[in-house]
Amino acid sequence: MSTDSLALLRKNAAQDIAALAEDHLKHDLQDTDRDALKSAASKISTHVTIGSLVGLGLGAFLAFRLRRMRMQMFDALKAKEKPTHVKFADGREEALPDMTPYMRPSTLGDVAAYTFFGFGGLFVGGETGVLTGSASAGRTITRDPDSRERIETAFRRFRADVLRKEADSLDTRRGVKEVLGL
């Protein structure tokens, strides 16, 4: 499992924006543009962190609710009167085993529930944080039309530099791992 699978551990968007601000500050951006980009990067990071924590808490809460519901169902089943024998048409009678101990919620099931609900909540909350953080960062960057134009120009130039670098590394016929940065 890659660290990019969880939004909380994914730093690519914030690092790209910060690298853009640092690389093109000398040529294309002003100090206010750099501050807007750093603010946007911090907003994404903040939203992802808060979303991940909320998702983790929600996952733990849902796992707790599931465990409590399973215990209530087991207690209700245990209290019910259950048949102990089956009588067949030919008069033969067979005893039914008591399945209650096998249906009891286990510690392993509780651990699995908390683990999977926790990771699920972490994933959903983190990805929601990425979406809301990106939207908030976009609003921060596009607030000033002049600054937005300079940032877009700098970003286009930065992407062109990255694509040139990738094309140069492809021309030198290095391995796939070096080209992709793995």
Side-chain angles (χ1 to χ4, degrees), residues 3-14 40-56 121-137:
T3 58
D4 286 346
S5 297
L6 296 175
L8 183 63
L9 302 176
R10 194 180 309 141
K11 302 292 185 195
N12 296 343
S42 70
K43 282 188 178 192
I44 292 173
S45 178
T46 301
H47 279 251
V48 168
T49 302
I50 290 171
S52 296
L53 291 175
V54 168
L56 188 62
L122 180 68
F123 178 74
V124 170
E127 293 303 319
T128 303
V130 167
L131 291 174
T132 60
S134 297
S136 178

Side-chain angles (χ1 to χ4, degrees), residues 3-101:
T3 58
D4 286 346
S5 297
L6 296 175
L8 183 63
L9 302 176
R10 194 180 309 141
K11 302 292 185 195
N12 296 343
Q15 287 175 349
D16 286 347
I17 292 174
L20 171 67
E22 295 301 322
D23 290 343
H24 290 274
L25 177 63
K26 299 172 206 149
H27 304 102
D28 302 328
L29 300 178
Q30 297 176 355
D31 288 338
T32 57
D33 302 335
R34 185 193 68 202
D35 293 341
L37 286 173
K38 286 194 178 208
S39 173
S42 70
K43 282 188 178 192
I44 292 173
S45 178
T46 301
H47 279 251
V48 168
T49 302
I50 290 171
S52 296
L53 291 175
V54 168
L56 188 62
L58 183 63
F61 172 72
L62 290 175
F64 175 76
R65 291 276 314 247
L66 178 70
R67 182 187 187 285
R68 189 171 55 182
M69 187 172 58
R70 285 176 40 219
M71 285 301 292
Q72 288 173 348
M73 287 177 62
F74 174 74
D75 290 340
L77 179 70
K78 188 170 64 171
K80 274 286 223 197
E81 186 176 322
K82 295 174 281 303
T84 58
H85 290 80
V86 175
K87 190 170 191 177
F88 293 98
D90 63 0
R92 184 175 47 115
E93 204 170 284
E94 291 283 329
L96 290 176
D98 184 20
M99 300 298 286
T100 307

Side-chain angles (χ1 to χ4, degrees), residues 95-117:
L96 290 176
D98 184 20
M99 300 298 286
T100 307
Y102 302 113
M103 298 177 76
R104 180 174 191 78
S106 67
T107 305
L108 181 63
D110 293 342
V111 168
Y114 279 102
T115 300
F116 290 124
F117 275 88

Side-chain angles (χ1 to χ4, degrees), residues 12-25 27-29 33 37 141 147-164:
N12 296 343
Q15 287 175 349
D16 286 347
I17 292 174
L20 171 67
E22 295 301 322
D23 290 343
H24 290 274
L25 177 63
H27 304 102
D28 302 328
L29 300 178
D33 302 335
L37 286 173
I141 291 172
S147 177
R148 186 182 114 212
E149 185 63 35
R150 287 189 300 270
I151 291 171
E152 286 176 350
T153 302
F155 185 71
R156 280 193 301 273
R157 290 179 181 164
F158 176 71
R159 290 291 296 156
D161 291 342
V162 169
L163 289 173
R164 279 187 206 98

Side-chain angles (χ1 to χ4, degrees), residues 160-173:
D161 291 342
V162 169
L163 289 173
R164 279 187 206 98
K165 181 180 172 185
E166 288 179 11
D168 290 342
S169 66
L170 286 172
D171 287 340
T172 60
R173 293 187 180 264

